[in-house]
Amino acid sequence: MEINSQDILNFWFEEIDSRLWFAKDHNFDDLIRERFTDIHNKAVLCETYDWRKTPEGRLAEIIVLDQFSRNMYRDDSRAFENDRLALALAQEAVQSGDDQHLSPISKAFMYMPYMHSESQKIHEEAVRLFSQPGLEGSLEYELLHKEIIDRFGRYPYRNEFLGRPSTREELEFLKLPGSTF
């Protein structure tokens, strides 16, 4: 049976415990790989473009590209390969107003690619988006992410996975609690 956008949303928002969203849990990562590798591969190839007909479908595509990538490829450069595509989809949703048809928790995941960006300009927009009512908790995390981008211009914890050399300041920063997400 072909996975559709509603299957993704049901899994993410109904089936699993929300504590898994941001936990490092290898069993959860395995579950996502087992159930969603095929649809992930299709989304990477932009074959799920028909999902974009609705705000919810676009959200599902963003979750697959942004969140599932991080679970499927944890501690691997492939975890970040689809960030630009997910961000472009989120930007289109914001530009069209599709984001305004979603609940706050759904908006938070639609905006997550902004938070994952390593661009200061994108983080300026992210602060605006996460400042909407109902997104206060996400705004806190966005501000922490933005602080790192403002300081380093990138996320130092990604350096190892992306084969980037770390500066001495980044290495010192990585010793601190809260330096990774």
Side-chain angles (χ1 to χ4, degrees), residues 52 58 86-99 114:
R52 298 176 206 158
R58 186 183 298 268
L87 177 59
L89 292 171
Q91 288 170 322
E92 288 175 358
V94 168
Q95 190 170 39
S96 71
D98 278 355
D99 59 320
Y114 287 84

Side-chain angles (χ1 to χ4, degrees), residues 39-54:
I39 199 65
H40 182 270
N41 291 338
K42 289 177 181 184
V44 168
L45 295 172
C46 297
E47 293 178 1
T48 50
Y49 64 89
D50 59 319
W51 291 8
R52 298 176 206 158
K53 293 175 184 172
T54 67

